[in-house]
Amino acid sequence: MFDHVVFGVSDYAASKAFFLKALEPIGLAVVSEGPLGIELSSDGKVSLCMFQTEEKPAHLHLAFVAENRQQVEAFYRAALDAGGNDNGAPGLRPNYSGKYYAAFVIGPDGHNIEVVCHEPEA
């Protein structure tokens, strides 16, 4: 659906470090970085872009797709290690669907970062 998502962050270095560590388990890495900010992608087609802003960023809910439940769990551990705050440990969310396996972490600017797997347990 998206080609890219761009948003401002209040502490560029902290957000860059958080997102790189937290989303490494699902393959996100730096595609480019320059005066306009940083672009992260896992496939070179869809990207997440961040830039430094002096404005207070509005809170976002960003949900990323995982290929399997192990990636969801690895994201959760990595995001907490990167300084994120727990907002929902890895697990099934039957109120969403019978296969919705996700974890949620609050990032540096208060964004709710989710990684979700829609596949059944392998």
Side-chain angles (χ1 to χ4, degrees):
M1 174 186 284
F2 296 107
D3 182 75
H4 59 277
V5 173
V6 180
F7 62 99
V9 296
S10 65
D11 184 334
Y12 180 80
S15 291
K16 174 184 172 182
F18 172 80
F19 280 96
L20 283 174
K21 184 169 184 172
L23 298 176
E24 186 275 331
I26 61 168
L28 258 71
V30 176
V31 172
S32 66
E33 186 172 18
L36 298 178
I38 191 169
E39 178 181 14
L40 307 174
S41 181
S42 63
D43 63 6
K45 297 175 186 173
V46 178
S47 59
L48 178 70
C49 307
M50 293 174 283
F51 64 94
Q52 176 70 44
T53 182
E54 298 306 316
E55 300 173 4
K56 180 172 175 51
H59 291 179
L60 301 172
H61 178 161
L62 299 170
F64 297 88
V65 176
E67 294 176 9
N68 54 57
R69 294 178 181 193
Q70 292 76 25
Q71 284 185 332
V72 173
E73 294 161 5
F75 149 76
Y76 183 74
R77 288 189 303 272
L80 294 179
D81 287 347
N85 295 311
D86 171 56
N87 197 34
L92 283 171
R93 303 302 195 268
N95 52 322
Y96 298 158
S97 83
K99 297 185 297 184
Y100 199 105
Y101 190 87
F104 303 83
V105 174
I106 302 298
D109 278 309
H111 303 310
N112 185 18
I113 312 303
E114 172 186 0
V115 171
V116 59
C117 176
H118 296 280
E119 302 301 320
E121 188 170 13

